[in-house]
Amino acid sequence: MDQVRNHKNMNKSEGYDHFPGILSSSTPEESAAKFYELIVPLGFSGLVYSSNRLTAPLIEGSEIVRRWIAHFVERNYFAVDPLYAAARKSVVPQFWYANQRRPQDSAEQVRIYQEIGEFGIAKGFDLSIRDHEDEASLCFYCEDEKVDLQAVHPLVQIGALYLHECICRLSAGGAAIVQPTLTTRERECLGLVRDGLTYAQIGRRLNITERTVTFHLQNAKQKLGVSTLAQAIAIALLHQRI
């Protein structure tokens, strides 16, 4: 793909430009492959997407990641992985690191993250996406320990929404998933956040208080079922709301 470039030079606006191309995919496998190729420059080595809409998870990635996923499934680590379980209960991303040790984890849980390091994977995060009919789970893997997950994960989350939307459309025969209606003010506030304005600047532009700006943005996130403004903006863009 001509979109692939060094992750140090890829910014959020470029992600907005390139991720919509995922929606032109004719199969779930093609959509996952397109998404993966776009996040490789950000430092990611693999991903897994699973949903009740699919008969089997979609897996993209290096040989190291594929061997780890096979090992994870063989050992049935789904049943004991604490962050996988936490991600299923929340739309907030769950970050993890090889060889991590948390006080609340059992010996078996600690062993999972020792083993992932032994396989050559340094870090990653788990994520859930929910719509009105289903829930999808994603896991992202990085072999490069220098990848700054805090810096790149918002853009990856936006791309994940495009992947999920494409799979939803394919399973629905090409129809877009119906989303809640946003008010004019909610759309305006999201659009101005997308354009880089601060809450104070939005307030001055719309002649409302910062507290009112916060109110409209919180309402928009709640209606769209997301936890971050980046996710809300991505969904609004998907459905041409802003």
Side-chain angles (χ1 to χ4, degrees), residues 49-53 87-88 127-131 134-138 164:
Y49 173 98
S50 60
S51 164
N52 290 333
R53 290 184 169 94
R88 296 296 299 270
L127 175 69
S128 287
I129 299 175
R130 296 178 183 140
D131 58 47
D134 192 17
E135 174 184 307
S137 298
L138 297 96
H164 181 66

Side-chain angles (χ1 to χ4, degrees), residues 111-131:
R111 180 60 186 162
I112 293 175
Y113 294 97
Q114 291 177 335
E115 289 181 2
I116 201 168
E118 292 166 1
F119 270 74
I121 299 172
K123 61 181 67 174
F125 71 94
D126 297 348
L127 175 69
S128 287
I129 299 175
R130 296 178 183 140
D131 58 47

Side-chain angles (χ1 to χ4, degrees), residues 113-211:
Y113 294 97
Q114 291 177 335
E115 289 181 2
I116 201 168
E118 292 166 1
F119 270 74
I121 299 172
K123 61 181 67 174
F125 71 94
D126 297 348
L127 175 69
S128 287
I129 299 175
R130 296 178 183 140
D131 58 47
H132 301 295
E133 298 180 4
D134 192 17
E135 174 184 307
S137 298
L138 297 96
C139 189
F140 298 92
Y141 304 88
C142 300
E143 294 169 23
D144 184 355
E145 63 181 15
K146 296 180 181 178
V147 174
D148 185 349
L149 289 180
Q150 296 296 330
V152 300
H153 90 269
L155 183 56
V156 175
Q157 284 187 261
I158 293 169
L161 290 168
Y162 278 92
L163 171 63
H164 181 66
E165 174 73 12
C166 182
I167 291 171
C168 290
R169 291 184 184 188
L170 290 170
S171 67
I177 303 303
V178 176
Q179 293 290 340
T181 301
L182 300 179
T183 67
T184 299
R185 267 298 188 247
E186 290 163 355
R187 295 196 304 271
E188 288 174 336
C189 289
L190 282 176
L192 293 172
V193 170
R194 175 203 58 190
D195 294 340
L197 275 67
T198 66
Y199 285 20
Q201 291 170 329
I202 294 171
R204 289 194 293 271
R205 177 77 63 87
L206 300 179
N207 197 29
I208 57 179
T209 66
E210 286 187 54
R211 184 173 181 178

Side-chain angles (χ1 to χ4, degrees), residues 41-156:
L42 298 173
F44 289 87
S45 305
L47 69 91
V48 179
Y49 173 98
S50 60
S51 164
N52 290 333
R53 290 184 169 94
L54 301 174
T55 57
L58 299 173
I59 300 174
E60 293 287 338
S62 67
E63 183 60 31
I64 287 175
V65 169
R66 291 178 183 274
R67 286 195 293 107
W68 166 253
I69 293 169
H71 177 77
F72 188 94
V73 173
E74 180 183 355
R75 296 294 182 92
N76 193 31
Y77 281 156
F78 296 105
V80 294
D81 184 350
L83 296 183
Y84 176 81
R88 296 296 299 270
K89 299 176 182 178
S90 171
V91 295
V92 176
Q94 303 293 316
F95 298 97
W96 51 263
Y97 302 87
N99 301 309
Q100 70 180 20
R101 290 176 176 270
R102 304 186 309 168
Q104 67 268 36
D105 291 341
S106 67
E108 187 175 19
Q109 290 169 338
V110 169
R111 180 60 186 162
I112 293 175
Y113 294 97
Q114 291 177 335
E115 289 181 2
I116 201 168
E118 292 166 1
F119 270 74
I121 299 172
K123 61 181 67 174
F125 71 94
D126 297 348
L127 175 69
S128 287
I129 299 175
R130 296 178 183 140
D131 58 47
H132 301 295
E133 298 180 4
D134 192 17
E135 174 184 307
S137 298
L138 297 96
C139 189
F140 298 92
Y141 304 88
C142 300
E143 294 169 23
D144 184 355
E145 63 181 15
K146 296 180 181 178
V147 174
D148 185 349
L149 289 180
Q150 296 296 330
V152 300
H153 90 269
L155 183 56
V156 175

